[in-house]
Amino acid sequence: MTAPTGEDWEAELESSFPGYLLPHAFHRQIGEAEASRFLHRLSGRPHELALVRGASLISGHLPQLIALTEGTTRLARRLPSHSRIERRLWEGGYAGRLDVRATLARQLRGAPGRFETRQRHRRFDRPENLLLRSVLQRLIEVLGELIRAGVLSERGWGADAARVLVQLRHLVARTRLQRIEVRPVDAHQRDAARLAPDPVYGLALRWHRLLADTLEDPDPARLSALLARGALAPLSADTRFELAVLLRLIRALHGALLARDPGWRLTRACVMPTRRDVAALEHPDGSRIRLFFNQTVLESSGPRGASLGHYLGHRGRPRPDVTVLIEAPGAPVRAVVLEAKHTQDLTYVRQGFDEAALYRWEYRQWMIGWPQAAVVTSAAVPGQVRVGDEVCALGWDGWVPEAFIEGILDGL
């Protein structure tokens, strides 16, 4: 699935991968250099890295995954097998198919009470089937983890992959494939899959290599290439604009901090259902700036929340599009909150301004210094930012003002 582009702010997403792992997304490619930078900043988060690997693999190869599943469904009806004869010696009687010749031979040799039976067993553990079964199991594990993490759902970019997971689980539990145990893949299995006449085995072999390259290969260059091919971006233009606002702010803060002191370090996280901060700038002296995307982070002390709880039983808190927490040793934690509006309609921008004003008053104990709250819009804003205003309105063309950055960094 692709989404239209063409607005200036879209370039921010092209140049700074957000690590987006929510269901309502579309598949798009990014540059390998940007993928490499993101992976470097994701260091220390192995679970998120595993999810990035899995999501990039599935989104970048979804047609091949569907082809493997459909081909295996067809193959399972006539799965190749081989037969094995099991011989058994009985004393005084027998059950099963008697091997008359062998029994007579034994009795003529002086064992009149002994009987020998033979039973043909049909087995499906051919080497090419073993490889196929191993690949299916690994795909079930990858898809299952993405489902549990909320990355895949029945709606959004991975809807087809979620349906594939249901089919794969049926195949290994309800068809002849259930009679094949999962074993480590070896060279004999790979050779058999490569030479097997049914093209499904060739697909399975390619998936075996893909899974190894994606989930196990530590080579940063190959991993960056995978992420570049299978990157995701939000389907909604509103959400993409919100992320562009966040990413440009991260870039501006990082650049300003490095100009002051090269000891500052930027780490990034994925935008996923279980996320906390999506970026953190940290200094060895204990100072740090954390940025949150579309999350309720702050405790509210404003009158609106208290009155809503009293009269209507509503316990929710306002949720800014971006929350910035600034922490310095010996100083109280302060916050800046942003509302992002993708629109050319200034009436809608005024609505965003009112929302930002609400955040400022509901979270007033965190609003220390300047800036405090702002609405950022893709529309042109006639007025220039004024230092000291409790709520500001900023257009994309002027985002991020130098005064805004200096205010956030004040005291660090």
Side-chain angles (χ1 to χ4, degrees):
M1 183 182 296
T2 57
T5 59
E7 300 193 64
D8 291 344
W9 55 265
E10 293 274 14
E12 193 70 40
L13 294 177
E14 296 294 331
S15 65
S16 186
F17 176 59
Y20 196 79
L21 291 181
L22 294 178
H24 293 282
F26 69 96
H27 168 227
R28 70 177 177 91
Q29 292 192 357
I30 62 173
E32 289 188 25
E34 177 52 36
S36 177
R37 283 193 293 271
F38 177 81
L39 291 169
H40 175 71
R41 293 165 184 164
L42 196 62
S43 60
R45 299 176 184 257
H47 178 62
E48 291 186 28
L49 179 57
L51 292 175
V52 167
R53 286 176 181 257
S56 300
L57 170 67
I58 300 303
S59 67
H61 299 87
L62 195 51
Q64 295 93 321
L65 177 62
I66 294 172
L68 175 68
T69 306
E70 292 176 348
T72 304
T73 301
R74 170 185 52 78
L75 178 69
R77 303 188 188 102
R78 50 176 185 79
L79 193 66
S81 62
H82 61 96
S83 296
R84 182 171 296 175
I85 302 298
E86 180 181 303
R87 297 182 178 275
R88 184 174 177 183
L89 189 61
W90 302 77
E91 189 78 37
Y94 69 92
R97 185 175 180 180
L98 183 67
D99 186 331
V100 176
R101 179 177 297 179
T103 299
L104 284 174
R106 287 183 180 279
Q107 293 184 356
L108 288 173
R109 289 199 299 268
R114 291 194 172 187
F115 303 87
E116 188 171 324
T117 60
R118 53 185 295 176
Q119 184 70 40
R120 184 184 298 273
H121 292 279
R122 189 181 183 191
R123 300 175 62 94
F124 296 94
D125 56 349
R126 293 166 62 99
E128 62 269 35
N129 289 340
L130 289 169
L131 180 137
L132 175 62
R133 181 64 181 85
S134 176
V135 167
L136 297 183
Q137 186 62 37
R138 193 70 185 96
L139 284 170
I140 288 171
E141 292 168 359
V142 172
L143 293 168
E145 184 60 30
L146 293 175
I147 289 282
R148 287 188 292 275
V151 178
L152 289 181
S153 73
E154 295 179 356
R155 302 178 64 184
W157 74 270
D160 287 339
R163 287 190 287 271
V164 162
L165 177 59
V166 175
Q167 292 176 267
L168 292 180
R169 284 173 170 165
H170 171 79
L171 284 169
V172 301
R174 302 294 182 184
T175 71
R176 291 167 174 171
L177 288 163
Q178 69 175 311
R179 296 167 62 178
I180 304 174
E181 66 175 316
V182 179
R183 302 180 192 172
V185 174
D186 58 27
H188 181 46
Q189 295 172 26
R190 292 193 293 269
D191 290 341
R194 185 169 52 252
L195 298 173
D198 196 299
V200 173
Y201 295 111
L203 271 174
L205 182 59
R206 286 195 289 275
W207 268 103
H208 167 68
R209 292 167 178 157
L210 270 175
L211 286 161
D213 292 344
T214 303
L215 306 178
E216 301 167 12
D217 193 336
D219 183 357
R222 297 187 69 171
L223 183 53
S224 297
L226 165 79
L227 177 56
R229 177 176 178 177
L232 298 170
L235 190 58
S236 163
D238 291 342
T239 306
R240 294 202 304 278
F241 180 69
E242 293 163 9
L243 275 171
V245 168
L246 170 66
L247 292 170
R248 180 173 281 188
L249 177 59
I250 293 170
R251 186 155 53 88
L253 287 170
H254 190 211
L257 286 169
L258 288 180
R260 292 181 173 197
D261 186 337
W264 284 91
R265 178 172 177 264
L266 170 64
T267 57
R268 292 265 299 274
C270 295
V271 180
M272 53 188 290
T274 57
R275 67 189 180 277
R276 293 183 293 176
D277 55 279
V278 296
L281 292 147
E282 298 176 296
H283 191 272
D285 70 2
S287 300
R288 65 174 178 172
I289 300 174
R290 290 182 292 159
L291 297 101
F292 301 81
F293 176 71
N294 197 17
Q295 294 159 274
T296 302
V297 178
L298 306 172
E299 291 296 329
S300 172
S301 64
R304 177 181 179 274
S307 297
L308 279 175
H310 174 74
Y311 289 107
L312 303 177
H314 179 74
R315 302 298 177 188
R317 290 174 287 162
R319 184 174 61 190
D321 291 327
V322 176
T323 301
V324 184
L325 290 186
I326 304 105
E327 304 168 61
V333 178
R334 56 192 176 96
V336 179
V337 292
L338 304 175
E339 181 69 14
K341 293 296 182 189
H342 173 235
T343 182
Q344 297 300 313
D345 182 356
L346 289 184
T347 301
Y348 188 44
V349 178
R350 287 197 294 272
Q351 177 184 325
F353 191 92
D354 291 341
E355 291 178 63
L358 171 64
Y359 300 149
R360 188 258 172 268
W361 287 106
E362 287 298 293
Y363 298 128
R364 56 190 174 183
Q365 78 267 35
W366 307 95
M367 302 290 126
I368 303 170
W370 186 89
Q372 298 178 358
V375 57
V376 184
T377 175
S378 52
V381 174
Q384 298 298 311
V385 64
R386 294 187 305 198
V387 176
D389 283 352
E390 293 175 343
V391 183
C392 304
L394 303 159
W396 175 257
D397 288 345
W399 179 248
V400 183
E402 184 178 348
F404 207 86
I405 293 297
E406 290 299 318
I408 292 176
L409 302 186
D410 185 34
L412 292 179

